[in-house]
Amino acid sequence: MRDAKWADLLRQANNGHRDAYIAFLKQVAPVLRGVIQARSGGRHEDCEDILQNVLIAIHEKRHTWRENEPVSAWLYAIARYKTIDALRKSGRNRTTAFDGEEAQVADDNVIDPTAARDLDVLLTRLDDTSAAIVRQIKLQGLTAEEVGAQLNMTPGAVRVALHRAMTRLSAAVAEDDPETANQKAPT
């Protein structure tokens, strides 16, 4: 029953019904959160970051779902692959031997998990193309050539757009920083 309901909502969403899309996301998000938590065994913050990546992938790839196939299998596959990708990228823990005992040691390269949410908030201040360029080059590691091919832009135009987007993001961060704001205030 659930799969049929999700399939109906996603079908409507793919036909442009915004309310159906919102209902679809509200229904699948808690289930996907559980799948991610089970697969990653991670902390709540890590699972929320992975869930956000899964929801973005669903949004970007929703047109690839084949209406004659179960939507839940499609969703679970995306969640599985995004969870695996996140665990590989994070290298969150490494096992180190101490006096013959193995212990989990925090990786020195771990980034604050709230940074991803903060970045998502900042990226909403950019237009969709600029935000996509920042995500693809700075977060996913694509080249300007690869991004340009996807967005029908020259690599040079992509680099210029990236530079301008990063400048706007830097200004937004400075604007939100209380210490910077205090420096600007007249004394």
Side-chain angles (χ1 to χ4, degrees), residues 147-159:
V147 175
Q150 290 177 13
L151 299 175
N152 198 25
M153 296 171 67
T154 65
V158 169
R159 285 189 281 274

Side-chain angles (χ1 to χ4, degrees), residues 127-186:
D127 60 276
D128 292 341
T129 302
S130 297
I133 290 170
V134 171
R135 279 189 183 96
Q136 291 175 346
I137 292 178
K138 294 296 186 179
L139 302 178
Q140 297 171 3
L142 298 179
T143 66
E145 290 75 16
E146 293 168 326
V147 175
Q150 290 177 13
L151 299 175
N152 198 25
M153 296 171 67
T154 65
V158 169
R159 285 189 281 274
V160 168
L162 175 64
H163 175 74
R164 289 178 179 164
M166 295 304 290
T167 301
R168 288 195 307 269
L169 288 175
S170 295
V173 169
E175 184 178 295
D176 291 346
D177 184 4
E179 289 183 27
T180 307
N182 289 339
Q183 291 172 0
K184 292 180 185 175

Side-chain angles (χ1 to χ4, degrees), residues 89-103:
K89 285 180 183 177
S90 73
R92 173 105 24 232
N93 293 312
R94 63 180 184 269
T95 303
T96 307
F98 292 106
D99 300 327
E101 299 274 332
E102 287 191 310

Side-chain angles (χ1 to χ4, degrees), residues 12-59:
Q12 289 178 47
N14 284 344
N15 288 322
H17 298 293
R18 183 178 183 271
D19 291 340
Y21 189 51
I22 291 169
F24 171 77
L25 292 176
K26 284 182 178 179
Q27 289 183 26
V28 302
V31 175
L32 293 174
R33 183 178 290 111
V35 169
I36 293 164
Q37 286 176 334
R39 293 196 66 84
S40 69
R43 297 182 327 225
H44 177 72
E45 298 87 6
D46 298 331
C47 293
E48 289 302 308
D49 288 344
I50 296 169
L51 177 62
Q52 291 305 311
N53 288 334
V54 169
L55 294 175
I56 289 169
I58 289 168
H59 177 73

Side-chain angles (χ1 to χ4, degrees), residues 96-126:
T96 307
F98 292 106
D99 300 327
E101 299 274 332
E102 287 191 310
Q104 291 292 317
V105 178
D107 190 337
D108 297 333
N109 297 319
V110 173
I111 298 172
D112 179 2
T114 60
R117 282 188 288 276
D118 293 344
L119 180 59
D120 286 340
V121 170
L122 277 174
L123 289 176
T124 62
R125 296 182 179 188
L126 299 175

